[in-house]
Amino acid sequence: MSEIAGVPKFGGLSGQRLRVAITSCATIGFLLFGYDQGVMSGIITGEKFNYEFPATKGNDQHASTIQGTVTSVYELGCFAGAIAALFYGERLGRRRSILTGAVIMILGTIIQVTAFRGKWELGQFIIGRIVTGVGNGANTASIPVWQAECSKSHNRGLLICIEAAMIAVGTVIAYWLDFGFSYVDNSSQWRFPITFQIVFAALLIAGVLVLPESPRWLLNHDRQEEATIVLAAINGTTVNNEVTQQEKRVILEGIQIIAGATQNSGFKDVFSRGKGKHLQRMLIGASSQMFQQLGGCNAVIYYCPVLFEESIKLPRTLSLILGGVNATVYALSTLLSFIFIERAGRRKMFLIGSAGQCLAMVITFACLIPGQIESAKGAAFGLFLFIIFFGSTWLELPWLYPAELSPLKTRTRANALSTSTNWIFNFLIVQVTPTMIASIGWGTYLFFAVMNALFIPVIYFFYPETAGRSLEELDIIFARAHMDNESPVAVAKNMPKMDNDQIEMVAAELDLHDGSTRDEEKATVSQTASERGDTGPKSG
């Protein structure tokens, strides 16, 4: 960090340029995520990979199970990484969590590409996949929080959508790199595509090393001087500038709203209620990650060539090419989210995405019912339609929504829980999809159609709009919902947007700090009494 003419700089940047740099670094993290997610799709049945790992060769049930396990254990690693972020992320901070995750991913990659036939090759490769997943799980739990806490409320959604869109771009790079190297007649056919992810990890490390920590995390840990410098750098002002000082006061007030300085907050706070409504906010965010997976996205992304080959009966080469085209359409569809994420808002995009994905899955299973090749071609259209709706809505929203929905006190832990939810359901879908296709055929797509239809009422009644709101405004929305016994959806709809002065005034008017503290104290007393077997009124 340097200071020129009174304006702090990180990496020689401040103001808009610094915010762009933070966003660029965050997008590299999600590019790495998407690449590592997609790289196995073209490798797992490759000739040289199957030679190096004989257990993966063949189309019988045993080989298919091994292939599914090699692919899906990555999700278990991601789940473990997100859980690690849950317990250690708040202590480490956003930057150190991301740095640790990137280093672990490099280590996992090295373990994978140094596996050789005859030397416990499959076990070593699986361990490498799990280790890489641990690093990615930590990153996916930390990067959205870092980005959200360094963004302005008016473009926070757009910036995080750009991050999430990089998942699709990374998948496209992996698909086509796999396809190109499928013509290489040595072990580079699979070693190079896997090794290539180290480039993205190194770029992520280089960026995070020179960029600032989240100012909200710094304030939350009573490092006010550092936080003021970071806020000034992000705003492009001096540390004594009134805008920067006011933003600092608003953030501190937000911390106090949720129960004061929170360095000693614990895991149990995620499940507390009262004015903070921590439990409800965590459950809403986690449900969005669960819905993303149950909607069928990774059944299409991971197994797209398999779906074309097994369900639609297309030739192998054409299936691979169409899988790459589908991934390219997937990446291009993310551009729609850039346009509508702030204009349409989160709720409308969730609802439109669910309805569109449901329609796409209905088309897919309906065209597969006759069991004829001509009608099955309509199912290919259904899969392309699905990926367009997914890429423009459900891809981005579950990475944005939990990060901005949770209060500062529980944001790291709540976001880690929601990310863990994503990974465990990701593992479930990736593991069972080949079995579902083999056993119930078109019923697989009927299942996903029903799931998407069920999301719609949940979103309509429980998901409040967050577009254009500062993170501190959301604390007020949930506090008012608690005090007035209203739905947060209704409060968010009726409450006008506020500037920093209004947020400070309303926070004082509602006595949020004292009220929240009293509510949580009552809840603690009530819980203790219950554990002792006492009776009496209990606080919600």
Side-chain angles (χ1 to χ4, degrees), residues 495-536:
M495 191 180 88
K497 293 185 173 73
M498 302 178 180
D499 58 27
N500 287 337
D501 288 329
Q502 292 171 321
I503 292 172
E504 288 186 285
M505 181 180 68
V506 172
E509 174 189 330
L510 296 178
D511 190 24
L512 293 180
H513 170 50
D514 292 338
S516 178
T517 303
R518 285 195 298 270
D519 283 347
E520 293 191 6
E521 286 174 350
K522 289 179 183 177
T524 303
V525 171
S526 176
Q527 181 179 0
T528 304
S530 176
E531 290 171 352
R532 292 199 311 263
D534 296 347
T535 59

Side-chain angles (χ1 to χ4, degrees), residues 96-162:
R96 284 194 290 176
S97 295
I98 297 169
L99 287 170
T100 302
V103 170
I104 291 174
M105 289 193 77
I106 292 175
L107 176 62
T109 300
I110 293 171
I111 294 173
Q112 290 178 73
V113 299
T114 54
F116 292 91
R117 181 172 179 170
K119 299 180 180 179
W120 200 57
E121 68 283 352
L122 188 62
Q124 179 177 332
F125 189 82
I126 288 175
I127 290 172
R129 287 281 290 168
I130 293 172
V131 172
T132 304
V134 169
N136 187 59
N139 281 348
T140 54
S142 305
I143 291 175
V145 178
W146 182 54
Q147 174 65 51
E149 293 181 344
C150 293
S151 302
K152 298 294 183 182
S153 61
H154 69 276
N155 64 358
R156 185 177 62 243
L158 172 61
L159 295 179
I160 294 183
C161 276
I162 292 173

Side-chain angles (χ1 to χ4, degrees), residues 38 47 70 98 128 148 157 164 166 176 181 185 273 284 313 339 354 371 373 396 412 476:
E47 177 186 353
V70 169
I98 297 169
M166 289 301 105
W176 290 115
F181 271 80
D185 194 26
R273 288 171 288 179
I284 293 172
K313 309 300 181 184
I339 299 171
S354 298
I373 294 178
E396 300 87 357
T412 298
I476 293 176

Side-chain angles (χ1 to χ4, degrees), residues 281-428:
R281 295 161 83 167
M282 181 275 290
L283 289 175
I284 293 172
S287 71
S288 71
Q289 292 278 21
M290 179 180 70
F291 292 169
Q292 184 193 63
Q293 296 305 315
L294 291 179
C297 64
N298 277 311
V300 177
I301 294 169
Y302 273 84
Y303 297 111
C304 194
V306 176
L307 299 181
F308 285 130
E309 189 172 2
E310 299 296 330
S311 295
I312 306 178
K313 309 300 181 184
L314 296 176
R316 170 69 174 165
T317 301
L318 180 58
S319 296
L320 289 172
I321 293 173
L322 285 178
V325 172
N326 187 269
T328 304
V329 172
Y330 173 34
L332 292 175
S333 68
T334 64
L335 297 176
L336 294 173
S337 70
F338 299 175
I339 299 171
F340 295 111
I341 187 64
E342 297 297 348
R343 295 180 184 179
R346 306 346 175 204
R347 275 172 56 82
K348 286 183 181 178
M349 290 190 69
F350 270 128
L351 292 168
I352 291 170
S354 298
Q357 290 180 175
C358 178
L359 173 63
M361 285 300 185
V362 168
I363 292 173
T364 301
F365 87 75
C367 291
L368 290 176
I369 290 175
Q372 299 173 358
I373 294 178
E374 284 303 312
S375 62
K377 291 179 181 179
F381 169 76
L383 294 178
F384 274 92
L385 182 64
F386 177 92
I387 211 66
I388 290 171
F389 275 106
F390 174 75
S392 58
T393 57
W394 274 99
L395 167 63
E396 300 87 357
L397 289 168
W399 299 107
L400 165 64
Y401 202 57
E404 62 183 6
L405 198 65
S406 294
L408 181 59
K409 183 176 184 179
T410 63
R411 190 167 296 140
T412 298
R413 296 180 178 91
N415 202 60
L417 275 175
S418 68
T419 304
S420 301
T421 303
N422 180 287
W423 289 120
I424 201 65
F425 280 92
N426 192 325
F427 168 76
L428 173 67

